[in-house]
């Protein structure tokens, strides 16, 4: 199937979703502390406990959604679809099944459709924040498809 695309621009100040499964929360807190100076000039959001822990341990402002299993992942996905999230740092646990795995898969799917960078681990997150593109306006291509099956602009 052919898809069309449209361009969406992110601002220099990024809206960044910060999410971590239970076994990875401390790793995300450490990562945010290390990159605090870079992140403090951006808008940060997170799910449930992760947002609260990040605020407590880093003194950064992190707007909180619901806990992931209680709909927080879906709230972040909706914000991505509304183009209110520019990137996602999501330290998910690849070794443990989550009761909300379908929500996690849907969240990753939406992130791919809306062409936002996703960091599942420290290495990827480090590459994202050290990229020259991190503090620039960035044009991303969002998948489009019309109701009758015709694609949008290419």
């Amino acid at each position: 199937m052919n898809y069309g695309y449209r361009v969406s621009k992110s601002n220099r100040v990024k809206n960044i979703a910060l999410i971590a499964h239970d076994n990875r929360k401390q790793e995300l807190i450490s990562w945010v502390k290390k990159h605090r100076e870079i992140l403090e000039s951006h808008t940060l959001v997170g799910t449930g406990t992760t947002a609260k822990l990040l605020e407590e341990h880093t003194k950064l402002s992190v707007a909180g959604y619901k806990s992931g299993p209680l709909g927080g992942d879906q709230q972040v996905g909706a914000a991505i679809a509304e183009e209110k999230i520019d990137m996602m740092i999501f330290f998910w646990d690849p070794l443990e099944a989550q009761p909300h795995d379908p929500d996690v898969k849907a969240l990753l799917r939406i992130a791919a459709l809306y062409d936002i960078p996703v960091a599942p681990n420290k290495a990827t997150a480090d590459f994202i924040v050290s990229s020259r593109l991190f503090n620039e306006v960035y044009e991303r291509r969002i998948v489009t498809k019309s109701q009758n099956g015709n694609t949008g602009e290419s």
Side-chain angles (χ1 to χ4, degrees):
M1 179 175 283
N2 292 326
Y3 296 100
Y5 298 91
R6 67 178 175 78
V7 172
S8 178
K9 291 183 181 181
S10 69
N11 295 316
R12 289 182 193 278
V13 174
K14 304 292 189 280
N15 298 307
I16 304 169
L18 301 167
I19 307 169
H21 285 155
D22 289 344
N23 292 339
R24 308 277 313 273
K25 287 189 191 317
Q26 284 308 124
E27 185 180 0
L28 181 62
I29 290 167
S30 296
W31 183 84
V32 170
K33 282 181 175 179
K34 179 181 177 184
H35 297 287
R36 187 184 193 291
E37 286 185 28
I38 295 169
L39 296 171
E40 68 187 354
S41 61
H42 298 278
T43 303
L44 308 176
V45 300
T47 53
T49 308
T50 303
K52 289 177 190 167
L53 288 170
L54 286 169
E55 280 196 323
E56 179 182 318
H57 292 282
T58 68
K59 305 302 182 215
L60 290 170
S61 176
V62 183
Y65 289 110
K66 293 181 184 230
S67 172
L70 299 177
D73 293 334
Q74 292 176 338
Q75 288 179 302
V76 173
I80 292 169
E82 293 170 352
E83 299 179 46
K84 295 178 181 175
I85 303 283
D86 299 307
M87 65 184 59
M88 182 169 57
I89 310 298
F90 183 4
F91 287 11
W92 57 276
D93 187 347
L95 299 176
E96 192 168 315
Q98 303 293 320
H100 62 294
D101 273 343
D103 296 339
V104 172
K105 183 177 181 182
L107 178 58
L108 295 172
R109 179 182 169 276
I110 288 293
L113 283 172
Y114 283 82
D115 197 23
I116 68 164
V118 177
N121 54 44
K122 179 186 169 302
T124 309
D126 286 344
F127 272 86
I128 288 173
V129 298
S130 64
S131 167
R132 67 174 176 77
L133 300 173
F134 187 73
N135 290 309
E136 293 181 10
V137 173
Y138 182 76
E139 289 187 2
R140 51 197 171 115
R141 290 175 32 154
I142 298 173
V143 174
T144 62
K145 184 173 170 252
S146 67
Q147 293 289 76
N148 64 7
N150 293 332
T151 57
E153 37 184 294
S154 301

